[in-house]
Amino acid sequence: MRVVNALFVIFILAIGAFADTTWVSDTISGTWTSAGNPYILTGDCYVAYGESLFVEEGVRIISDDTSDKSIYCDCRGFFEGVLDSPIHMTHVGLRDPQIITYSVIDSVFRALHNPREVSYIEIRDCSTGIIFNTISGSADHVSIHNCYYAITCNNASFQYLTISGCSRGINIWEGADIGVY
């Protein structure tokens, strides 16, 4: 009987630990708040055509396994954390987000692809930190650690950039227009 009671208590605790879990896949939009943590991606996600995705402070977004997932934003993704409550993504990369602030991205192949405005971001343990290849983007207060390529770009401006433990720093393509301030 004690074993049954112990198993029941463990079962109830496990349910409570994931009570607010939000499972996500396919087409997405709306506002994600920390009340739905963690947001678990079961596949790549796409912001719905004509819609927007707003991700607020303190949100945790993770992959359902150790494979990488992407959120394709098409300039309609707004990821806005704050200093004391950043957004944290693990095994999840962003494609074409409009704004990403106060966030941590780790353990993904490509962290940010063609972001428009990036500020106060930490990127860790990725193959490529940031890629700017089709748009002109800006990055302010960015730290990139232990990535193969920190930044690959052809048109971007950077202010207060920290790169450490990366095999390649900034890979600038031919004809690039880059400003580092």
Side-chain angles (χ1 to χ4, degrees):
M1 187 64 171
R2 284 185 172 174
V3 171
V4 172
N5 287 340
L7 289 174
F8 180 74
V9 168
I10 291 171
F11 176 74
I12 295 299
L13 290 174
I15 289 173
F18 290 102
D20 294 331
T21 297
T22 304
W23 296 86
V24 182
S25 64
D26 301 322
T27 305
I28 56 176
S29 65
T31 301
W32 292 4
T33 67
S34 60
N37 278 342
Y39 289 81
I40 301 176
L41 274 58
T42 60
D44 289 338
C45 295
Y46 303 84
V47 175
Y49 181 76
E51 300 287 329
S52 295
L53 174 65
F54 298 92
V55 178
E56 296 182 351
E57 62 189 66
V59 168
R60 288 177 291 135
I61 307 170
I62 60 176
S63 173
D64 64 341
D65 53 24
T66 58
S67 66
D68 292 346
K69 307 294 190 294
S70 291
I71 298 176
Y72 292 84
C73 301
D74 196 26
C75 300
R76 297 183 310 271
F78 302 86
F79 297 78
E80 300 185 73
V82 296
L83 179 62
D84 295 335
S85 188
I87 296 167
H88 194 137
M89 291 171 265
T90 302
H91 292 292
V92 175
L94 298 179
R95 299 289 199 110
D96 302 306
Q98 182 66 34
I99 296 173
I100 178 166
T101 62
Y102 290 103
S103 298
V104 177
I105 302 174
D106 60 31
S107 305
V108 67
F109 178 74
R110 185 175 294 138
L112 292 174
H113 188 258
N114 286 334
R116 300 321 188 256
E117 297 175 40
V118 177
S119 59
Y120 297 94
I121 304 298
E122 182 176 350
I123 298 172
R124 305 182 295 228
D125 305 315
C126 299
S127 177
T128 303
I130 302 175
I131 296 176
F132 290 105
N133 69 349
T134 60
I135 55 96
S136 177
S138 64
D140 179 20
H141 290 88
V142 175
S143 296
I144 302 175
H145 308 283
N146 304 318
C147 296
Y148 185 75
Y149 283 112
I151 298 170
T152 300
C153 58
N154 66 357
N155 193 2
S157 64
F158 302 96
Q159 187 170 1
Y160 304 108
L161 177 63
T162 301
I163 298 172
S164 69
C166 297
S167 297
R168 306 279 190 269
I170 301 176
N171 180 27
I172 301 173
W173 296 327
E174 184 176 337
D177 181 18
I178 305 299
V180 178
Y181 307 98

